[in-house]
Amino acid sequence: MLQDKRILLILTGGIAAYKGLDLIRRLRERGAAVTPVLTRAAEQFITPLSVSALAGEKVYRELFDLTDEAEMGHIQLSRSADLIVVAPATADILAKMAQGRADDLASTLLLATDTPVMVAPAMNVRMWTHAATRRNRDQLIADGITFVGPNDGDMACGEFGPGRMAEPLDIVAAIEAHFAPGPLTGRHVLITSGPTHEPIDPVRYIANRSSGAQGTAIANALLRLGARVTFVTGPADIAPPQGADVIAVETAREMQDAVTQALPADAAVFAAAVADWRVASASDSKLKKSAYGLPVLTFAENPDILAQVAQMQDGRPGLVIGFAAETDDVIANATAKRARKGCDWIVANDVSPATGIMGGAENAVTLISADGADPWPRMAKDDVATRLAGRIADALS
Ligand code: C5P
């Protein structure tokens, strides 16, 4: 089941670390290659020798081990894995991950990667239920980290409750589910997301209110179905989807270049709110109030990335999907937009302030295709994403 999969297994310090040894054995039985990393605290519970004997590989322990840096480098170490598993994951490593700290090898590996990460927490029940750990867990889930367990049960400290690490076989099952082929396995989907920033001068720019939430949710839904996702994103505060190839851009023209480079793709979803115009008169130095008085900006039209890709003669993705955020005559405008741009589907929504959709957690969309308009009920943006990903999978099958 896990043949040819490389798993970077980070063992942190807790009594459950002994179960980590069993986990290594079970993963190797299924054909996975396991690269083990031990924190200092983990070495208080299990020895590097037993870990490396079971893994059949060298154990990585120190960030500043120059031999390791020369051989591989910590960046390379985390990126060469198909999946990073932290088991057991202490309250401390969850806190570091949630904050983006990098003060030892394990935390640095976790920060220096865009490889998917799975954690199996193990800690005292009071630590697990503490408000701080709950906050960290919520943050990590929002960042795209997968949790396995913890389970309820007797704890080594004599208490009972949630905090026991999931059993090794449950962790193996979650890992197998992660790698199980989905309907989009082997398919490449390109997504644009977020706003663009168009500079006025080196310190000022024109932007819009797009949060990137819907595009990110679509990327996550496609990843769950097994797609390889290239995620071209303008400046957004939201965490990018874990496991996607993320390309960060600022301007519409940078987004256009990134999209061109990322093709070919089986499907392309244009969820970005691309600025229609850029400042043609953008200045290389900061505009001075005194020198210019009231500045006059002149604009130039930005490339319409969606229309260009939808109208490609060669190498057009099989399915090209655009978005239409409208405030009036939503269906009629979106239907006309579909024809004008040449895309296959338009996901249309009403962004009038009264709907609360812009910046909110919910969306009410109508999917417009050659078959006409299909209104979906109002639902969470994540559910819109899951449904759209399902439709994409059906269309490509
Ligand atoms: O023309 P309008 O901006 O309303 O069209 C919205 C759709 O077109 C969205 O899918 C958006 O991502 C895409 N678009 C684009 N490049 C532009 C403008 C819009 O890809 N310059």
Side-chain angles (χ1 to χ4, degrees):
M1 264 305 271
L2 295 174
Q3 211 64 43
D4 301 327
K5 299 296 180 216
R6 174 159 291 279
I7 293 170
L8 185 74
L9 178 64
I10 297 176
L11 299 114
T12 65
I15 185 66
Y18 79 92
K19 290 198 215 167
L21 297 176
D22 190 31
L23 177 60
I24 296 174
R25 196 170 62 81
R26 307 255 180 205
L27 289 171
R28 293 201 64 207
E29 272 170 12
R30 285 159 180 77
V34 179
T35 307
V37 174
L38 279 182
T39 61
R40 284 254 172 89
E43 289 183 25
Q44 304 296 318
F45 294 91
I46 46 175
T47 69
L49 188 60
S50 47
V51 172
S52 91
L54 281 167
E57 290 198 26
K58 172 182 165 62
V59 178
Y60 292 86
R61 298 155 65 191
E62 295 291 344
L63 181 56
F64 296 109
D65 182 331
L66 291 178
T67 320
D68 293 347
E69 287 298 309
E71 273 173 13
M72 200 172 211
H74 58 273
I75 306 274
Q76 179 59 23
L77 186 58
S78 57
R79 293 201 184 151
S80 59
D82 297 302
L83 177 69
I84 300 179
V85 178
V86 189
T90 56
D92 183 54
I93 193 83
L94 297 182
K96 281 185 185 171
M97 289 169 73
Q99 287 189 6
R101 292 174 59 122
D103 60 1
D104 62 1
L105 177 61
S107 53
T108 304
L109 290 172
L110 287 159
L111 194 62
T113 190
D114 50 12
T115 303
V117 177
M118 188 178 280
V119 295
M123 66 196 74
N124 168 272
V125 56
R126 283 163 217 261
M127 292 169 89
W128 175 251
T129 53
H130 194 284
T133 306
R134 287 212 307 266
R135 268 198 310 277
N136 292 335
R137 185 204 56 175
D138 291 349
Q139 180 60 54
L140 291 170
I141 289 173
D143 291 350
I145 307 291
T146 306
F147 277 69
V148 188
N151 296 339
D152 280 9
D154 287 322
M155 315 206 60
C157 51
E159 291 190 72
F160 182 89
R164 267 171 72 94
M165 187 172 90
E167 293 306 319
L169 279 178
D170 294 336
I171 301 173
V172 169
I175 294 171
E176 284 178 336
H178 171 84
F179 288 118
L184 288 172
T185 299
R187 302 295 199 155
H188 178 213
V189 184
L190 168 66
I191 303 180
T192 69
S193 182
T196 63
H197 285 183
E198 306 295 334
I200 297 171
D201 67 15
V203 298
R204 303 182 179 94
Y205 56 83
I206 293 178
N208 61 64
R209 293 188 195 280
S210 168
S211 64
Q214 188 66 81
T216 303
I218 294 167
N220 281 322
L222 290 162
L223 286 162
R224 285 198 295 275
L225 297 186
R228 178 166 76 82
V229 172
T230 303
F231 188 73
V232 179
T233 176
D237 285 338
I238 189 164
Q242 285 265 330
D245 294 327
V246 178
I247 305 173
V249 298
E250 274 196 21
T251 66
R253 286 193 294 178
E254 286 170 13
M255 186 171 274
Q256 179 191 33
D257 288 346
V259 164
T260 310
Q261 299 239 326
L263 291 173
D266 297 291
V269 182
F270 293 86
V274 184
D276 290 318
W277 317 283
R278 67 177 173 277
V279 181
S281 55
S283 166
D284 288 338
S285 48
K286 187 182 169 197
L287 298 180
K288 292 268 188 235
K289 200 157 127 188
S290 54
Y292 287 85
L294 285 180
V296 175
L297 302 180
T298 55
F299 289 90
E301 200 166 336
N302 267 333
D304 189 322
I305 309 167
L306 166 62
Q308 271 178 8
V309 172
Q311 292 165 31
M312 279 171 71
Q313 299 297 322
D314 286 323
R316 180 190 190 276
L319 184 61
V320 178
I321 304 169
F323 277 71
E326 305 281 348
T327 51
D328 306 285
D329 297 328
V330 177
I331 308 284
N333 282 330
T335 305
K337 188 170 287 180
R338 176 178 169 272
R340 197 167 62 243
K341 303 235 184 193
C343 55
D344 302 297
W345 299 350
I346 284 269
V347 181
N349 59 1
D350 185 344
V351 291
S352 317
T355 64
I357 282 171
M358 204 80 172
E362 291 190 335
N363 207 347
V365 309
T366 299
L367 184 66
I368 293 167
S369 67
D371 299 334
D374 175 15
W376 294 359
R378 190 177 172 115
M379 56 181 105
K381 284 183 177 170
D382 280 344
D383 295 335
V384 170
T386 303
R387 200 163 179 172
L388 185 65
R391 295 285 174 92
I392 293 171
D394 289 346
L396 294 184
S397 66

